[in-house]
Amino acid sequence: MTGRLQPVLAGVVTALVGFASSFTVVLAGLRAVGADQAQAASGLLALCVATGCCAVWLGLRHRLPLAIAWSTPGAALLVATGPVPGGWPAAVGAFLLTGLLIAAAGLVPALGRAVAAIPGPIASAMLAGVLLPLCTAPVRALVEVPRLAGPVVLAWLVLHRFARRWAVPGALAAAAVAIALTTSGPVRAHLAPTVALTAPTWTLSAVVGLALPLFLVTMAAQNVPGAAVLAGYGYRAPLGSALRVTGLATALGAPAGGHAVNLAAITAALAAGPDAHPDPDRRWIASVTAGIGLALLGLGAGVATALVLLSPPVLVEAVAGLALLGALAGAVSAAVAEPDAREAAVVTFVVTASGVSLLGVGGAFWGLVAGWLMLLLFRRRPAAPATTLPATETERDLAGSRH
C-alpha cells in the first residue's frame, strides 16, 4: 500500500510546491502587462488547468514523469517588460503567438535547433537580467515594510536551511499571516473561479518585445533544462511531443490570460527522482497526480489573487524574488562560465536588467541583440601559424653544438 501511495503523495507535494512557490510571480507578471484583478485571476486559473491537462495527457500517453509547469522565468519577464503598446489585448496576442512558436518548435526541428544555437552564456545572461529586478525586491521590502517583510525573510531563511523545498511556501504562509494581522475591513474580491476572455490583438512592439523574448526564455530556461533533468534520471523526454502539446495549450489558454506552459525544470526532480518511487517505471504516476492537483489548485486562483491585492506590491514581489534566487544564481553562473563570452554576457545582463524600452520594445530583446553583437564584433580570431624564418649560420652552429 505504501508503494502505491508514494508516487501519489509525491505528486501532491509537487503540485503544492509548484503552485505556492511561484503563483505570486505569475500574478505580478500579469498585472505588470496590464491585466486587472479578474483577468489576472483568470490567467492563473487558465495556467493551472492547461498545465494539469498537459501533465495528465503526456504522463498517460508516454508513461514518463513529464512534470509540466507554467513559465516562471516568463512571468518574471512580464514584470521586467511592463505595459506594452496596445495594452492587455496586445499582451494576450503575444501569449498566443508564443504558444504557436512553441508548437512550431515541436513540429519543425530546425526551429528548435535555431533556439539551441543561441550561445548559452547570452541566453543565461538575458535570463539573469530578467530575474534581477524581482530578486532585489526582498531587500526593498525590508526597508519599505520591515514589519511585514521581516517575518517572511526569516521564515524563508529557516526553512531554506532545514527543509529547502518548503522555504518559499513557508515564506508565503508568513506573508499571509502578516497580511491578515494588519488588514481590516471587508475583502472586495472575486473569490469564485473566474474566466475573463480577451480578444487578442497584435502590435509589432508586443511581438518583438514580448512574444519573442517570452518564447526564447521559455525554451531556454524551462523546456531545455526540463528535458535535461529527465535525462539525468535516465529518461529520454519526448521533447517534440511535449512542445506540441504545451504550445497548443499555451495558445488555447492565452485568451483567458495564460502566458506560457512548458516542461517543468524546477519541480521536475520531485516527480522524476527516487523520492517519487523506487521503481522508475512507476514515477509517471507522480507527474499525473501533480497535474490533477495543480488543476484543482487553480480553483483557488481568486483567493490567491485577493491575497496578493491585500498586500503591498513590494511584499508580493519579495516573495516572488525569494522564489527566484536559486534560478538567478544558476543563470549568473552559466553566463560567466565561458571566459571568451564573458564580456558579451555581462553586456547582455546589464542591458536586460536596465529595463530600457526603445521603439516600444523591452530590455530583454535589446540585451539579446547587444550580447550577440558583442560576440560578433569581438570574436577571437584563430591565431595565425608562426612563420618559420630561415636559420642563420650562427643559429645552425649553436644548434649543432647542443647535439
Side-chain angles (χ1 to χ4, degrees):
M1 181 62 70
T2 303
R4 294 179 181 179
L5 287 178
Q6 186 174 353
V8 175
L9 293 176
V12 171
V13 170
T14 301
L16 288 173
V17 171
F19 183 88
S21 64
S22 59
F23 83 85
T24 54
V25 188
V26 171
L27 292 176
L30 296 178
R31 296 300 300 272
V33 293
D36 60 25
Q37 175 189 332
Q39 290 164 340
S42 174
L44 182 57
L45 173 60
L47 288 170
C48 289
V49 173
T51 298
C53 290
C54 290
V56 172
W57 170 258
L58 290 170
L60 291 175
R61 181 183 180 188
H62 297 287
R63 290 296 197 270
L64 293 174
L66 296 170
I68 306 298
W70 52 61
S71 177
T72 301
L77 172 67
L78 302 186
V79 176
T81 302
V84 295
W88 176 243
V92 170
F95 301 162
L96 177 57
L97 179 57
T98 299
L100 295 178
L101 288 172
I102 294 172
L107 291 169
V108 183
L111 181 57
R113 288 194 295 269
V115 174
I118 297 175
I122 300 301
S124 297
M126 180 184 70
L127 176 60
V130 166
L131 298 178
L132 180 63
L134 269 178
C135 290
T136 60
V139 180
R140 290 185 280 111
L142 284 172
V143 174
E144 297 178 21
V145 284
R147 293 178 60 189
L148 294 176
V152 172
V153 174
L154 180 60
W156 180 82
L157 285 171
V158 172
L159 288 171
H160 195 268
R161 172 63 179 83
F162 296 103
R164 181 168 295 190
R165 73 173 59 172
W166 297 105
V168 176
L172 179 63
V177 172
I179 293 167
L181 293 176
T182 57
T183 301
S184 59
V187 178
R188 296 180 179 179
H190 299 285
L191 302 182
T194 302
V195 177
L197 298 178
T198 301
T201 61
W202 289 273
T203 64
L204 181 61
S205 57
V207 168
V208 176
L210 183 56
L212 292 181
L214 181 57
F215 166 66
L216 294 175
V217 164
T218 299
M219 290 292 293
Q222 291 279 176
N223 285 320
V224 174
V229 170
L230 288 171
Y233 286 105
Y235 300 100
R236 184 176 179 180
L239 189 57
S241 175
L243 292 177
R244 292 190 293 271
V245 171
T246 57
L248 179 61
T250 298
L252 292 176
H259 68 287
V261 175
N262 43 247
L263 282 173
I266 299 172
T267 57
L270 297 178
D275 289 341
H277 199 280
D279 182 0
D281 293 333
R282 300 285 294 170
R283 295 174 192 170
W284 64 270
I285 300 173
S287 66
V288 171
T289 304
I292 296 172
L294 197 57
L296 293 175
L297 286 170
L299 300 178
V303 177
T305 306
L307 173 66
V308 168
L309 291 175
L310 287 172
S311 64
V314 71
L315 185 64
V316 177
E317 293 182 2
V319 177
L322 292 173
L324 294 171
L325 282 175
L328 175 62
V332 171
S333 177
V336 299
E338 298 181 17
D340 290 345
R342 192 167 293 162
E343 290 182 350
V346 170
V347 169
T348 302
F349 171 73
V350 170
V351 174
T352 302
S354 70
V356 296
S357 179
L358 180 63
L359 303 177
V361 178
F365 175 79
W366 296 118
L368 190 65
V369 171
W372 221 329
L373 287 176
M374 280 287 291
L375 281 181
L376 292 175
L377 289 174
F378 297 98
R379 177 180 295 170
R380 295 182 183 273
R381 297 181 181 275
T387 302
T388 303
L389 297 176
T392 64
E393 184 176 352
T394 303
E395 289 171 337
R396 288 195 296 269
D397 292 341
L398 289 173
S401 67
R402 285 193 294 268
H403 295 289

